[in-house]
Amino acid sequence: MGPVEERRRSMGTDADRSTEVREGFARSEFHRTFLGAQLERVTPGEVDVSLLVETRHLNLTGTLHGGLIATLADTATGLAFRTTLETGTTSLTSSLSVTFLRPGRPGTVTAKGRVVKRGTRFGYAEADVEDGEGRLLARAAATFTVMPEPAT
Amino acid sequence: MGPVEERRRSMGTDADRSTEVREGFARSEFHRTFLGAQLERVTPGEVDVSLLVETRHLNLTGTLHGGLIATLADTATGLAFRTTLETGTTSLTSSLSVTFLRPGRPGTVTAKGRVVKRGTRFGYAEADVEDGEGRLLARAAATFTVMPEPAT
Amino acid sequence: MGPVEERRRSMGTDADRSTEVREGFARSEFHRTFLGAQLERVTPGEVDVSLLVETRHLNLTGTLHGGLIATLADTATGLAFRTTLETGTTSLTSSLSVTFLRPGRPGTVTAKGRVVKRGTRFGYAEADVEDGEGRLLARAAATFTVMPEPAT
Amino acid sequence: MGPVEERRRSMGTDADRSTEVREGFARSEFHRTFLGAQLERVTPGEVDVSLLVETRHLNLTGTLHGGLIATLADTATGLAFRTTLETGTTSLTSSLSVTFLRPGRPGTVTAKGRVVKRGTRFGYAEADVEDGEGRLLARAAATFTVMPEPAT
């Protein structure tokens, strides 16, 4: 570990990670332009992401496409996990599991991610996906592989 | 059950269901316009859906967003399952589970869905998500609840 | 539906279901003799099941076998779900998913199941699996198919 | 890395790993005495484990307990994964997901595990659980965390 790496490790804090998450989301064409999602809340270990559901997000049956529920859950759990990473490490989502409990309708839908475990090689987070009245639309679970950040 | 419904039940065949899947996909703003996916293959119990991955589909790290892999898998398994439904019944996806094996890159990505079980109340399908060279990017599993089609 | 069946339906209450769960567990050779588990708590929608972990339950590495964690979670979610069934209906577990967070050791391990959704055709429950100090060893999720009880 | 470790790494072969799996299973009180399972087949990346289902393995409804299906799947995927590990590494099962497709009955039930991916930090394997006539009772998926073997 060279001196630059060492400095980064010693500086690493939760606040840095939360800032990184906010800045990354703001730069993400996928999240901001394509998906049209909003970053509602970032605290260490918890991130909420919302989507204003419009016609283009719906199935032919008029309900929110399950893939978008999965995408919101993937985003909320992945960003929540990112806030907990130690400096010098990064992570990949290894698996995502979503159980659909109630159809989503036009209006606001929010995925609330929270980290349950952040180990040195493995992590686990969950999300509730709720509609604007706080009704539970889906429950999701994600696992992560933690690894050293590639040198840049 | 009125006379029209009765006729549909007696006429119900796999070919009808495949046609329904093709027509529904063609009408789906979500799949065609928003997601930009293509329906590649529809046979009884198997449906392939592809996406030409472009910049707007990528994470900040330059890889295909996991939510889109989940969306393709959800679509391929859901449509594959739909081809197997008996006339007078419909289905909802109850759960979707995706394991991410390799990062996706710009280029074509295809989700290949196939039905493993179609019961009278429960169903199960799987999907391989592959890149243009046939490398496995993800494996997915979906469960379904089967129910009588609401009278229209 | 004969008169006996009719009477059972009209009498069905949560209390009946909890009693059924207790009586079934007491009669179950699998749970009582083979597994050696204890039914710790039965309330509508929640069931706790514990196991005193002994040498025969361990992996070669000296930790509780993951299959037993899955078995406890399956039992706790399945029995919790059973307490919520309406009279005249029964259920099957359709899927079980367990994430292992910490190795289990000899001592008491408890799976705490709770129902999140009980629909007319589909249900969902979760479980925490904890050691004697309340540390979370695993999180589990189960889905259920609900169906009419076969005539006896 | 000291000389002993170095020797072990240079000697490590698939054949060694298969032998380790066979010897470990033979020593395992959990698998041999408590569960009563048999190791049917060990090849690099694939392991089959069977159980002669008897009365003590059944639910009150007379079908094989789902926890035992999960246990067989956990064992077959875990041992299959172990055959693929490089010398000097070990693994833990991070998650296990089982979808139940058909009830199991007394007679032989076999879980056939196969590795889909063995990375340096993450792995993935699947299993078919079949009855004596080759009917599919369940499909299972397991993920693994790979790590350096602790010095002994």
Side-chain angles (χ1 to χ4, degrees), chain B residues 119-140:
Chain B
T120 56
R121 291 181 168 251
F122 171 78
Y124 176 65
E126 296 179 343
D128 289 333
V129 184
E130 299 177 355
D131 70 10
E133 280 79 50
R135 283 179 295 224
L136 190 63
L137 305 184
R139 291 271 286 162

Side-chain angles (χ1 to χ4, degrees), chain B residues 97 99-102 114 116-117 122 124 126 136 139-141 143, chain D residues 97 99-102 114 116-117 122 124 126 136 139-141 143:
Chain B
S97 178
T99 307
F100 302 100
L101 301 174
R102 187 191 291 263
R114 65 187 165 280
V116 177
K117 172 172 174 162
F122 171 78
Y124 176 65
E126 296 179 343
L136 190 63
R139 291 271 286 162
T143 64
Chain D
S97 178
T99 307
F100 302 101
L101 301 174
R102 186 191 291 264
R114 64 187 165 282
V116 177
K117 171 173 175 163
F122 170 78
Y124 176 65
E126 296 180 342
L136 190 63
R139 291 272 285 162
T143 64

Side-chain angles (χ1 to χ4, degrees), chain C residues 12-63:
Chain C
T13 67
D14 284 345
D16 291 346
R17 285 295 188 181
S18 294
T19 302
E20 268 179 48
V21 163
R22 289 183 185 285
E23 291 177 355
F25 193 91
R27 286 199 317 273
S28 168
E29 183 186 352
F30 173 79
H31 290 107
R32 298 301 304 277
T33 311
F34 174 66
L35 186 60
Q38 303 291 327
L39 190 61
E40 296 288 347
R41 195 170 71 98
V42 180
T43 65
E46 297 186 16
V47 166
D48 297 353
V49 178
S50 74
L51 178 71
L52 181 59
V53 177
E54 297 176 342
T55 305
R56 69 179 183 282
H57 301 127
L58 303 181
N59 278 316
L60 286 177
T61 54
T63 62

Side-chain angles (χ1 to χ4, degrees), chain A:
Chain A
M1 188 169 69
V4 174
E5 182 64 22
E6 200 152 23
R7 208 173 325 125
R8 290 188 51 210
R9 279 183 199 268
S10 61
M11 283 166 47
T13 65
D14 285 345
D16 291 346
R17 286 295 190 182
S18 294
T19 302
E20 268 179 49
V21 163
R22 289 183 184 284
E23 291 177 355
F25 194 91
R27 286 200 318 274
S28 167
E29 183 186 352
F30 173 80
H31 290 107
R32 298 301 304 277
T33 310
F34 174 67
L35 185 60
Q38 303 292 326
L39 190 59
E40 297 288 347
R41 195 169 72 98
V42 181
T43 64
E46 296 187 16
V47 166
D48 297 353
V49 177
S50 73
L51 178 71
L52 182 58
V53 177
E54 298 177 340
T55 306
R56 70 179 184 283
H57 301 127
L58 304 181
N59 278 318
L60 287 176
T61 54
T63 61
L64 176 57
H65 193 277
L68 290 180
I69 290 179
T71 298
L72 289 172
D74 185 50
T75 300
T77 51
L79 295 182
F81 194 69
R82 194 154 282 274
T83 65
T84 68
L85 287 173
E86 293 185 348
T87 308
T89 65
T90 188
S91 63
L92 286 175
T93 301
S94 305
S95 68
L96 176 72
S97 178
V98 184
T99 307
F100 302 101
L101 301 173
R102 186 191 292 263
R105 307 285 179 190
T108 298
V109 169
T110 305
K112 302 182 171 179
R114 65 187 163 282
V115 175
V116 178
K117 170 171 176 163
R118 206 273 295 143
T120 56
R121 291 182 166 251
F122 171 78
Y124 176 65
E126 296 180 343
D128 288 334
V129 183
E130 300 178 355
D131 70 11
E133 279 80 49
R135 284 179 294 224
L136 189 63
L137 306 184
R139 290 271 286 161
T143 64
F144 303 90
T145 301
V146 181
M147 65 200 72
E149 201 160 20
T152 52

Side-chain angles (χ1 to χ4, degrees), chain C residues 5 8 11 33 43 47 53 71 73 80 96-97 102 125 138-139:
Chain C
E5 182 64 21
R8 288 187 54 209
M11 282 167 48
T33 311
T43 65
V47 166
V53 177
T71 298
L96 175 71
S97 177
R102 188 190 291 263
R139 290 272 285 162

Side-chain angles (χ1 to χ4, degrees), chain C residues 71-129:
Chain C
T71 298
L72 289 171
D74 185 51
T75 299
T77 52
L79 296 182
F81 194 69
R82 194 154 282 274
T83 65
T84 69
L85 288 173
E86 293 184 345
T87 308
T89 65
T90 187
S91 63
L92 287 175
T93 300
S94 304
S95 68
L96 175 71
S97 177
V98 184
T99 307
F100 302 100
L101 302 173
R102 188 190 291 263
R105 306 287 176 188
T108 299
V109 168
T110 306
K112 302 183 170 179
R114 63 187 165 282
V115 176
V116 177
K117 170 171 176 163
R118 207 275 292 146
T120 56
R121 289 181 168 251
F122 171 78
Y124 176 66
E126 296 179 344
D128 288 334
V129 183

Side-chain angles (χ1 to χ4, degrees), chain D residues 22-77:
Chain D
R22 288 184 185 283
E23 290 177 356
F25 194 91
R27 286 200 316 274
S28 167
E29 182 184 353
F30 174 79
H31 289 108
R32 298 302 304 278
T33 311
F34 174 66
L35 185 59
Q38 303 291 328
L39 190 60
E40 296 289 347
R41 195 169 72 99
V42 181
T43 64
E46 297 187 16
V47 167
D48 297 353
V49 177
S50 73
L51 178 71
L52 181 59
V53 177
E54 297 176 341
T55 305
R56 70 179 183 282
H57 301 127
L58 304 181
N59 279 318
L60 286 176
T61 54
T63 62
L64 177 57
H65 193 277
L68 289 181
I69 291 179
T71 298
L72 289 172
D74 185 50
T75 300
T77 51

